Every structure is written in structure tokens, then in C-alpha cells.
Amino acid sequence: MRSQGHAQAMTGARHGVAAVVSARSVASGSAASPSATRSLRRTFRGEPGQVPQVRDFVSRYLDGRHCPAEAVQDVLVCATELAANAVLHSRSGLPGGHFSVEVACDGQSVCMTVEDSGGPWAEPGSGGIDAECGRGLSVVAALATDMGISGDAVGRMAWFCCRWGTGEEALSGRDPVGVIASAEHPQV
């Protein structure tokens, strides 16, 4: 798991933080002002049919923002994975369950948090090479700049950030198909 700082920043007003700012962006002078980040939060029913609704919610939020098409695709794949995990692997997927999604975009990053009702998640990739599931978090880790999970059986928060721009944060040369293929066939 990576730093919980980004996850705490994503929860916005609940923690008194308005923007996600990494140490790298502060050092380079590219940190966004707090007013540059506008987040949007929505609660979804804990049903498999809601996963495409999450994807649509995030897509509509990003529409009109200055996100490169490649970054949008990475964000949508990650959003789909975390929403599916909330429905399939937490108590949010039980009858009457729900989960919340918060998405925020600033000049060169998009961050998203999914909060669910907790429960016993299996370890990533624990199903073996022939398993039909268990690779989603590996895909998120490969596509996102930062990601993490915190919480327990009572409630869990999974989050990721995707950044684009220059230097180490650039997304150029990414191969999402290769990332997915390598996640499906891990090196042993």
C-alpha cells in the first residue's frame, strides 16, 4: 500500500483538505492552488449494474476538463476496477448495500476514492493463474501514479491518482493492453 496522504486529501472537506498535492509538485513549483480542485461525490447502490454507472459518472465529470484521452482511459479502467471491488468483495454488495465515489481533477491529475462497507477482501492475485478474478488491483497499480487501500472489515477506502505532464509524471508510451496482459500472466 502506498501513502494514505492522497486518500485523506481526496476526502476533501471531511478532512479540511481541498487539493491533492504531492511532494514532487511542491518541489517543482507545479502544485495546484486549493481552488483549482473541484471534487464531486456520489453514492451508488451496491449492485453489479452500478459499475457502468460509476464509469459514466467519472466520464461525465472529466468531460470538458483538460485531461488527455489516454489519461481518461486509464482513469476509467481504474474507476471500473475499484467500483467492481466494492460490489463484489465488500459488504456493500449485500442487499441494501451502497458505496461512495469521489473524483477530483486539478491541472495535471485526477484522483478518485471509493468507500465501501468493508468485508473480507482476498489478497490481490490470490486465485492462481487460471482464476477469473484477482488482478484488478494489479492493473490499477500499473496504470495509476499512486494508489492505496485503508480500512478494515467495517469500512474500506480504496483510492488512486493518475497524473500526466512532463518528466516522471508523463503518461507517454503507456501500453494499457500490455499492462493488462502482464497482470493476467504474472512472472513467476
Side-chain angles (χ1 to χ4, degrees):
M1 178 176 12
R2 297 182 187 158
S3 162
Q4 291 182 10
H6 292 290
Q8 290 170 344
M10 272 302 301
T11 58
R14 289 175 288 145
H15 293 285
V17 178
V20 174
V21 181
S22 69
R24 187 181 308 145
S25 64
V26 171
S28 69
S30 63
S33 68
S35 63
T37 301
R38 300 280 188 254
S39 68
L40 189 59
R41 183 177 177 87
R42 180 175 165 195
T43 300
F44 295 87
R45 292 185 313 275
E47 302 168 358
Q50 293 293 291
V51 174
Q53 299 299 319
V54 169
R55 190 176 173 94
D56 186 57
F57 168 73
V58 173
S59 179
R60 288 176 186 254
Y61 173 83
L62 295 175
D63 190 37
R65 289 182 165 72
H66 299 288
C67 301
E70 187 174 337
V72 170
Q73 291 307 310
D74 286 354
V75 168
L76 294 177
V77 168
C78 293
T80 300
E81 291 295 340
L82 294 189
N85 281 351
V87 171
L88 297 174
H89 303 297
S90 81
R91 289 194 325 262
S92 292
L94 297 175
H98 64 279
F99 63 99
S100 297
V101 173
E102 185 170 2
V103 62
C105 179
D106 68 16
Q108 292 187 312
S109 69
V110 174
C111 296
M112 191 181 108
T113 300
V114 174
E115 292 182 67
D116 65 38
S117 298
W121 272 18
E123 289 297 315
S126 63
I129 196 161
D130 294 327
E132 292 183 17
C133 60
R135 295 178 188 84
L137 293 177
S138 297
V139 171
V140 173
L143 293 175
T145 309
D146 294 304
M147 61 97 49
I149 302 171
S150 61
D152 53 27
V154 176
R156 189 170 290 105
M157 177 170 41
W159 60 272
F160 70 88
C161 293
C162 291
R163 291 184 182 79
W164 58 92
T166 60
E168 294 179 43
E169 296 177 357
L171 291 175
S172 61
R174 298 287 304 260
D175 178 13
V177 174
V179 167
I180 293 169
S182 67
E184 290 175 353
H185 304 288
Q187 299 295 321
V188 184

